[in-house]
Amino acid sequence: MILNIISSTVKTVFTVTCLKIKDDNKLRLIPGTLIALGISYSTVAAKSLAIDKFMADTITDSQTLKSKPEDMKTIMELMIMDIQAQFCRALEKEEPKEKFKVDRWLRPEGGGGITCVMQEGEVFEKAGVNVSVVHGNLPPRAIDQMRAR
């Protein structure tokens, strides 16, 4: 399972792909490309999310998130963390014995992420649902490569 999330204030894209289901050895795609123009996720929803149901603590400290409930970064982080938890719980329901192993990491330049991986199950050989919330300056080569696409 690969979860790619690209966001800006104009466009949000979620892509979810399952590469291989163990028993039948076929490559499959799990439905999942959602493109939303403009973010309709309301601040009220962001405030009411059950943070204790996330896979790990938020990347941004909770005091900062609470102090800026209407900030787009807060809304996005809480929404993405909620989506990650929903995906993980749904996949765990399909996998009778395995659960996701969670690794929360921080990036020295700013931000961090939460990596959730489940391996060697009866249904999924390997599944991962990962979130990155990073900030900082991009190197010029990275900016050039983004513009080339």
Side-chain angles (χ1 to χ4, degrees), residues 30-46:
I30 289 181
T33 302
L34 166 66
I35 300 174
L37 294 175
I39 297 171
S40 61
Y41 205 78
S42 72
T43 304
V44 174

mmCIF file of all heavy atoms in Angstrom, residues 30-46:
data_model
loop_
_atom_site.group_PDB
_atom_site.id
_atom_site.type_symbol
_atom_site.label_atom_id
_atom_site.label_comp_id
_atom_site.label_asym_id
_atom_site.label_seq_id
_atom_site.Cartn_x
_atom_site.Cartn_y
_atom_site.Cartn_z
ATOM 1 N N ILE A 30 -6.096 -0.699 -5.545
ATOM 2 C CA ILE A 30 -7.240 -0.426 -4.682
ATOM 3 C C ILE A 30 -7.743 0.937 -5.107
ATOM 4 O O ILE A 30 -6.959 1.861 -5.278
ATOM 5 C CB ILE A 30 -6.831 -0.445 -3.204
ATOM 6 C CG1 ILE A 30 -6.538 -1.879 -2.792
ATOM 7 C CG2 ILE A 30 -7.892 0.172 -2.328
ATOM 8 C CD1 ILE A 30 -6.153 -2.059 -1.357
ATOM 9 N N PRO A 31 -9.058 1.076 -5.292
ATOM 10 C CA PRO A 31 -9.579 2.356 -5.752
ATOM 11 C C PRO A 31 -9.021 3.466 -4.905
ATOM 12 O O PRO A 31 -8.929 3.348 -3.704
ATOM 13 C CB PRO A 31 -11.080 2.240 -5.533
ATOM 14 C CG PRO A 31 -11.342 0.799 -5.411
ATOM 15 C CD PRO A 31 -10.075 0.149 -4.945
ATOM 16 N N GLY A 32 -8.645 4.520 -5.576
ATOM 17 C CA GLY A 32 -8.249 5.566 -4.726
ATOM 18 C C GLY A 32 -7.527 6.718 -5.298
ATOM 19 O O GLY A 32 -6.476 6.992 -4.817
ATOM 20 N N THR A 33 -8.094 7.409 -6.214
ATOM 21 C CA THR A 33 -7.533 8.708 -6.513
ATOM 22 C C THR A 33 -8.655 9.706 -6.305
ATOM 23 O O THR A 33 -9.691 9.620 -6.924
ATOM 24 C CB THR A 33 -6.999 8.790 -7.945
ATOM 25 O OG1 THR A 33 -6.020 7.783 -8.106
ATOM 26 C CG2 THR A 33 -6.384 10.137 -8.223
ATOM 27 N N LEU A 34 -8.429 10.606 -5.401
ATOM 28 C CA LEU A 34 -9.413 11.635 -5.104
ATOM 29 C C LEU A 34 -8.736 12.968 -5.349
ATOM 30 O O LEU A 34 -7.698 13.252 -4.778
ATOM 31 C CB LEU A 34 -9.858 11.534 -3.642
ATOM 32 C CG LEU A 34 -10.619 12.729 -3.078
ATOM 33 C CD1 LEU A 34 -11.959 12.877 -3.761
ATOM 34 C CD2 LEU A 34 -10.783 12.584 -1.592
ATOM 35 N N ILE A 35 -9.300 13.753 -6.218
ATOM 36 C CA ILE A 35 -8.752 15.079 -6.474
ATOM 37 C C ILE A 35 -9.822 16.089 -6.076
ATOM 38 O O ILE A 35 -10.940 16.035 -6.555
ATOM 39 C CB ILE A 35 -8.382 15.265 -7.957
ATOM 40 C CG1 ILE A 35 -7.336 14.223 -8.351
ATOM 41 C CG2 ILE A 35 -7.885 16.679 -8.205
ATOM 42 C CD1 ILE A 35 -7.001 14.216 -9.809
ATOM 43 N N ALA A 36 -9.446 16.966 -5.184
ATOM 44 C CA ALA A 36 -10.392 17.963 -4.710
ATOM 45 C C ALA A 36 -9.847 19.343 -5.021
ATOM 46 O O ALA A 36 -8.734 19.663 -4.656
ATOM 47 C CB ALA A 36 -10.597 17.816 -3.211
ATOM 48 N N LEU A 37 -10.616 20.136 -5.722
ATOM 49 C CA LEU A 37 -10.213 21.519 -5.981
ATOM 50 C C LEU A 37 -10.757 22.368 -4.854
ATOM 51 O O LEU A 37 -11.948 22.391 -4.617
ATOM 52 C CB LEU A 37 -10.753 22.000 -7.325
ATOM 53 C CG LEU A 37 -10.152 21.276 -8.507
ATOM 54 C CD1 LEU A 37 -10.833 21.731 -9.786
ATOM 55 C CD2 LEU A 37 -8.664 21.511 -8.588
ATOM 56 N N GLY A 38 -9.867 23.041 -4.176
ATOM 57 C CA GLY A 38 -10.257 23.778 -2.988
ATOM 58 C C GLY A 38 -10.486 22.780 -1.864
ATOM 59 O O GLY A 38 -10.937 21.685 -2.099
ATOM 60 N N ILE A 39 -10.191 23.137 -0.655
ATOM 61 C CA ILE A 39 -10.344 22.205 0.450
ATOM 62 C C ILE A 39 -11.633 22.521 1.171
ATOM 63 O O ILE A 39 -11.832 23.614 1.668
ATOM 64 C CB ILE A 39 -9.131 22.299 1.391
ATOM 65 C CG1 ILE A 39 -7.894 21.871 0.613
ATOM 66 C CG2 ILE A 39 -9.333 21.458 2.627
ATOM 67 C CD1 ILE A 39 -6.621 22.107 1.338
ATOM 68 N N SER A 40 -12.533 21.540 1.197
ATOM 69 C CA SER A 40 -13.826 21.755 1.821
ATOM 70 C C SER A 40 -13.880 21.200 3.233
ATOM 71 O O SER A 40 -14.911 21.209 3.860
ATOM 72 C CB SER A 40 -14.919 21.094 0.979
ATOM 73 O OG SER A 40 -14.687 19.710 0.901
ATOM 74 N N TYR A 41 -12.761 20.695 3.712
ATOM 75 C CA TYR A 41 -12.686 20.149 5.061
ATOM 76 C C TYR A 41 -12.789 21.315 6.029
ATOM 77 O O TYR A 41 -11.925 22.158 6.098
ATOM 78 C CB TYR A 41 -11.358 19.423 5.221
ATOM 79 C CG TYR A 41 -11.372 18.357 6.269
ATOM 80 C CD1 TYR A 41 -11.932 17.130 6.016
ATOM 81 C CD2 TYR A 41 -10.813 18.592 7.499
ATOM 82 C CE1 TYR A 41 -11.932 16.152 6.970
ATOM 83 C CE2 TYR A 41 -10.802 17.624 8.468
ATOM 84 C CZ TYR A 41 -11.370 16.398 8.197
ATOM 85 O OH TYR A 41 -11.362 15.431 9.148
ATOM 86 N N SER A 42 -13.846 21.367 6.801
ATOM 87 C CA SER A 42 -14.104 22.562 7.600
ATOM 88 C C SER A 42 -13.258 22.602 8.872
ATOM 89 O O SER A 42 -12.804 21.591 9.374
ATOM 90 C CB SER A 42 -15.585 22.629 7.978
ATOM 91 O OG SER A 42 -15.861 21.645 8.939
ATOM 92 N N THR A 43 -13.095 23.800 9.373
ATOM 93 C CA THR A 43 -12.371 23.992 10.625
ATOM 94 C C THR A 43 -13.087 23.292 11.756
ATOM 95 O O THR A 43 -12.463 22.744 12.657
ATOM 96 C CB THR A 43 -12.250 25.496 10.927
ATOM 97 O OG1 THR A 43 -11.635 26.114 9.811
ATOM 98 C CG2 THR A 43 -11.410 25.742 12.158
ATOM 99 N N VAL A 44 -14.403 23.262 11.709
ATOM 100 C CA VAL A 44 -15.164 22.577 12.758
ATOM 101 C C VAL A 44 -14.773 21.108 12.788
ATOM 102 O O VAL A 44 -14.541 20.537 13.842
ATOM 103 C CB VAL A 44 -16.683 22.724 12.510
ATOM 104 C CG1 VAL A 44 -17.476 21.902 13.499
ATOM 105 C CG2 VAL A 44 -17.074 24.189 12.564
ATOM 106 N N ALA A 45 -14.639 20.476 11.612
ATOM 107 C CA ALA A 45 -14.233 19.069 11.549
ATOM 108 C C ALA A 45 -12.825 18.907 12.092
ATOM 109 O O ALA A 45 -12.535 17.955 12.807
ATOM 110 C CB ALA A 45 -14.323 18.558 10.125
ATOM 111 N N ALA A 46 -11.942 19.839 11.764
ATOM 112 C CA ALA A 46 -10.559 19.758 12.245
ATOM 113 C C ALA A 46 -10.520 19.857 13.770
ATOM 114 O O ALA A 46 -9.753 19.162 14.411
ATOM 115 C CB ALA A 46 -9.716 20.860 11.617
#
